[in-house]
Amino acid sequence: QTDRGGDPTKKGNYVPANALDIYYEEYGSGVPLVLVHGGCLNLNSWSPYIPTFARHFRVLALDSRGHGRTKNPAGAMSYRLLADDTAAFIKALGLQRPLVCGYSDGGQIALEMGMNYPGLARAYVVGGATYRWSDEYYAFFKAFGIDAPGCFDPERAERNLPDFVKLARDNDLFQGEGYWKTLVRNSSFMWLQPLDYSVEDLRKIIEPTLL
């Protein structure tokens, strides 16, 4: 399927992978570069950077499970699951050792890919990720209205972090009015699951990785 959205330079498609129809857009040519966006965003968050990337790479920007145009039939969310989705996406398109760049949740997904899929990527760029959640991290989500996994107060989110809510609402354009609340609630299980990666876990990443 194709959704060009009125932009003649945009190539939007769906590919079946890991029991999902993953939406992605493709630009440029050359070595493949897979872009994995942050939590509650979608591939549109890469728009300011894609023209530059596309001068050097074959850029494939995807909507992760439950984000943008990609549905999440089961509702489940975890970094390992989204890493499995992205690995399946790469395999479904027959990409040969692409570069993978992820930011925030996308960075956590890239770390999980590196630890669990050795040899899949050529290299990783990981931004806004960590090996262990901090007290400041938990305080952010408390302010955002998340008191526990699955317990979300959208009014507190709109009051305390309206800019982030505005970004999350962008998903409503593709999945229905008010969907952003479902997305945040589902994501909260992933966001509040302790990471605690060990040195041994991180040593499993054998590809060149820029943090």
Side-chain angles (χ1 to χ4, degrees), residues 142-159:
K142 187 80 170 177
F144 192 53
I146 299 173
D147 294 315
C151 298
F152 174 52
D153 179 355
E155 292 183 359
R156 193 192 314 166
E158 292 180 288
R159 184 170 60 251

Side-chain angles (χ1 to χ4, degrees), residues 11-27:
K11 293 159 55 178
N13 301 277
Y14 288 89
V15 61
N18 206 28
L20 296 175
D21 288 323
I22 297 178
Y23 179 80
Y24 71 101
E25 292 176 5
E26 184 173 342
Y27 307 82

Side-chain angles (χ1 to χ4, degrees), residues 75-79 133 146 148-151 182-194:
M77 299 279 274
S78 73
Y79 289 118
W133 303 137
I146 299 173
C151 298
T182 298
L183 176 56
V184 171
R185 191 171 293 108
N186 290 342
S187 297
S188 70
F189 292 91
M190 175 172 70
W191 291 336
L192 297 185
Q193 176 67 35

